[in-house]
Amino acid sequence: MNLQNHTTELVSQFLEGSPKQIVIAYSGGVDSHLLLVTVAELVSIYPAHHYLAVHVNHGLSPNADQWQKHCQQVCDELNIQFKAQQVKVDASANGGLEAAARKVRYQALEAMTEHHGVILLGQHVQDQLETILLQLKRGAGPKGLSAMAQSTVNENSITLARPFLELEKQDIVQLAQQKGLQWIEDESNQDTRFDRNFLRSQIIPPLLGRWPNLASAANRSAQLCAEQQQLLDEVNAKHLQAMVNQRFAIHIGKLQRLSEAWQNQIVRFWLAEQKVEMPSQTVLGELPKLLGAKPDGNPIIDIGLYQLRRFREHLYCIKKRKPELDVKLTLTASNTRLPNDLGHLHIDEKYIDQLLIGSRANNLKFKPLGSPHSKLLKQWFKQWDVPVWERERSLMLFWQDKVIAVLCEQHIIFASEIPCELRTMLHFRPNPPQL
């Protein structure tokens, strides 16, 4: 099969099936330009799809606006709908400028793609080799060394497809030249301060000079790592299903019955299921201390925007949130968004301006509806098994200077003093728990 036919076949496989949106990630470089032209050549064969070329303008080059105009012109000539999305890149973010630009680029592409749509990306086998080498630099395991998959489906049912992942860069350039394409050359690609550019210009050429098939071999290794990770995740899922509660917290006793290596595997899988950034090996090294702490202890492991915390016999992953410690809010509307991200409280108009939301008071005595006893609020929290971080965010509802309810993350607990009519006119709609 010649190169033209092979390239067409690679792209065609992602255009089969029912009508859907096909988004081409079009930077203007040779890879994405050839991808765009190949799609345009197939539109008449697959006319039912909605085709859209998206150019993400990072604004990092003085030529960025000129590149955008070039991409617009090419799409007009090919009769492909074009949209440009300008983004801001935070160079101070973790991972540096490269990682930040990649993150916002993918976010922009996904934001412009419909559910069940397909995003076509132009990465090739040398890009795969760069990714694998970067993962080696980071000390990645099988999941990281799986690098880029030819096709993945994200949580929004959007397919991210890389039709050219088996192609060599030289094949892409050769075919683009045969077609007489004019593409953009990003001057930043020569800046070896960026890791990928350093690998691309200084490291990979001599490697390929000695081992011409290295990129293809590395791609096969990535596929094998992906297969192994898939098998491992199947086992992880079975283990995890048997040890989590309704809040997706892990039962520590069940976890500790496994070897330390399996504990680390399951915790990584558990975090990935919650879209939490993977902790370093150093952070995971703190896990035995947390698991071995006393049940009434309050150890914490920080993972970026999240925390691993223990409460009783369970391990939780929670998002860091600082509670307001001095809340005093009169309810002046029938629907009020509560402080501390607890949710919304709906009241009858009759009670507008009569109810007050305040911070918790652990030393205040409280008698729940239906209970014959009055206790300190902190004693009730213990009896109700409310985790420490949820106690910190809980609020109290006052009426005529009396506490008539306690609002926790997922519950409203009425006091025995609350009038029946008022209780029926209060509706608490909590936010989904963020674990």
Side-chain angles (χ1 to χ4, degrees):
M1 183 182 296
N2 65 34
L3 184 57
Q4 169 68 49
N5 291 341
H6 182 49
T7 303
T8 300
E9 186 178 275
L10 290 173
V11 176
S12 295
Q13 64 182 314
F14 295 106
L15 304 183
E16 300 285 351
S18 58
K20 51 188 170 288
Q21 185 188 37
I22 305 294
V23 172
I24 306 98
Y26 181 37
S27 68
V30 62
D31 312 322
S32 65
H33 197 150
L34 180 62
L35 178 61
L36 176 70
V37 169
T38 305
V39 171
E41 292 169 348
L42 290 166
V43 169
S44 60
I45 301 175
Y46 304 98
H49 301 313
H50 170 214
Y51 295 91
L52 172 67
V54 174
H55 176 80
V56 180
N57 186 338
H58 299 87
L60 298 174
S61 168
N63 300 312
D65 291 340
Q66 182 180 342
W67 295 342
Q68 180 176 319
K69 290 179 181 177
H70 167 83
C71 293
Q72 171 78 70
Q73 181 180 351
V74 170
C75 289
D76 289 345
E77 293 171 356
L78 293 172
N79 199 27
I80 296 288
Q81 185 183 359
F82 173 85
K83 285 187 179 179
Q85 180 67 44
Q86 293 191 338
V87 296
K88 291 184 178 180
V89 181
D90 181 8
S92 64
N94 289 339
L97 184 64
E98 276 185 298
R102 180 182 183 276
K103 182 178 180 179
V104 297
R105 181 164 62 252
Y106 276 79
Q107 287 175 340
L109 289 167
E110 292 182 18
M112 301 185 77
T113 306
E114 300 168 358
H115 290 301
H116 305 292
V118 177
I119 300 175
L120 298 179
L121 303 158
Q123 286 108 335
H124 49 76
V125 73
Q126 272 82 19
D127 291 324
Q128 182 78 306
L129 178 57
E130 292 169 12
T131 301
I132 293 169
L133 290 174
L134 288 172
Q135 292 294 342
L136 282 172
K137 179 181 76 73
R138 297 172 185 136
K143 187 170 185 176
L145 295 176
S146 300
M148 297 182 291
Q150 189 174 47
S151 176
T152 56
V153 180
N154 69 11
E155 61 271 16
N156 294 319
S157 300
I158 296 172
T159 299
L160 280 77
R162 299 176 175 89
F164 291 173
L165 201 57
E166 298 177 4
L167 292 180
E168 300 279 348
K169 176 73 171 186
Q170 63 191 28
D171 293 333
I172 292 174
V173 173
Q174 176 187 332
L175 188 53
Q177 289 173 339
Q178 289 176 6
K179 291 176 177 290
L181 305 185
Q182 300 294 319
W183 59 85
I184 291 167
E185 294 287 355
D186 187 342
E187 72 279 353
S188 69
N189 288 337
Q190 307 305 316
D191 189 345
T192 55
R193 292 176 299 174
F194 299 120
D195 289 343
R196 280 194 179 271
N197 293 343
F198 174 71
L199 289 172
R200 191 174 300 150
S201 64
Q202 304 295 320
I203 303 301
I204 290 179
L207 289 176
L208 295 179
R210 185 173 180 91
W211 301 296
N213 296 323
L214 178 61
S216 296
N219 190 34
R220 287 197 301 273
S221 292
Q223 291 171 358
L224 291 171
C225 285
E227 288 180 7
Q228 294 299 312
Q229 186 63 47
Q230 183 178 356
L231 293 173
L232 188 57
D233 284 346
E234 288 177 8
V235 179
N236 285 333
K238 289 180 181 178
H239 278 307
L240 188 62
Q241 186 178 12
M243 60 178 66
V244 292
N245 63 11
Q246 292 180 339
R247 300 290 302 278
F248 206 55
I250 296 177
H251 190 279
I252 291 173
K254 294 178 180 179
L255 184 65
Q256 287 180 314
R257 292 172 194 160
L258 304 176
S259 68
E260 185 174 331
W262 269 112
Q263 291 177 24
N264 290 339
Q265 279 291 334
I266 290 167
V267 168
R268 287 194 191 98
F269 180 78
W270 174 64
L271 293 174
E273 289 289 286
Q274 299 172 86
K275 313 300 180 188
V276 177
E277 182 181 349
M278 281 300 101
S280 66
Q281 199 66 31
T282 301
V283 171
L284 274 182
E286 297 294 312
L287 189 60
K289 296 180 183 178
L290 189 149
L291 299 180
K294 295 180 179 179
D296 59 350
N298 189 28
I300 299 172
I301 296 178
D302 284 325
I303 306 177
L305 299 175
Y306 293 82
Q307 291 179 331
L308 296 185
R309 299 185 67 163
R310 173 174 184 154
F311 180 69
R312 302 285 170 84
E313 291 300 325
H314 283 86
L315 176 66
Y316 290 80
C317 176
I318 64 167
K319 194 169 186 178
K320 293 180 182 177
R321 289 179 288 192
K322 289 186 178 180
E324 295 183 43
L325 300 178
D326 190 21
V327 175
K328 193 173 183 180
L329 173 67
T330 301
L331 301 185
T332 58
S334 59
N335 181 25
T336 301
R337 183 178 180 180
L338 297 170
N340 294 341
D341 200 25
L342 284 183
H344 290 77
L345 188 65
H346 300 261
I347 62 172
D348 189 272
E349 293 184 0
K350 176 180 179 180
Y351 290 98
I352 288 177
D353 293 325
Q354 295 188 39
L355 302 176
L356 177 73
I357 291 288
S359 302
R360 79 189 190 286
N362 284 334
N363 293 322
L364 183 73
K365 285 202 169 185
F366 181 73
K367 185 179 179 183
L369 185 67
S371 173
H373 305 294
S374 177
K375 297 181 185 178
L376 295 177
L377 184 59
K378 62 182 179 181
Q379 293 174 324
W380 283 117
F381 280 148
K382 287 182 179 180
Q383 182 173 323
W384 295 332
D385 280 340
V386 179
V388 174
W389 55 91
E390 291 185 15
R391 301 178 197 180
E392 294 169 348
R393 297 173 50 242
S394 64
L395 299 169
M396 306 181 77
L397 181 63
F398 295 85
W399 178 65
Q400 296 182 351
D401 296 326
K402 295 179 181 179
V403 178
I404 59 169
V406 174
L407 297 161
C408 298
E409 185 164 301
Q410 293 295 301
H411 304 285
I412 180 168
I413 301 101
F414 293 110
S416 59
E417 293 88 351
I418 186 171
C420 181
E421 180 195 54
L422 177 53
R423 177 159 54 92
T424 61
M425 294 183 178
L426 283 174
H427 300 281
F428 175 47
R429 183 161 55 87
N431 287 334
Q434 296 183 1
L435 301 179

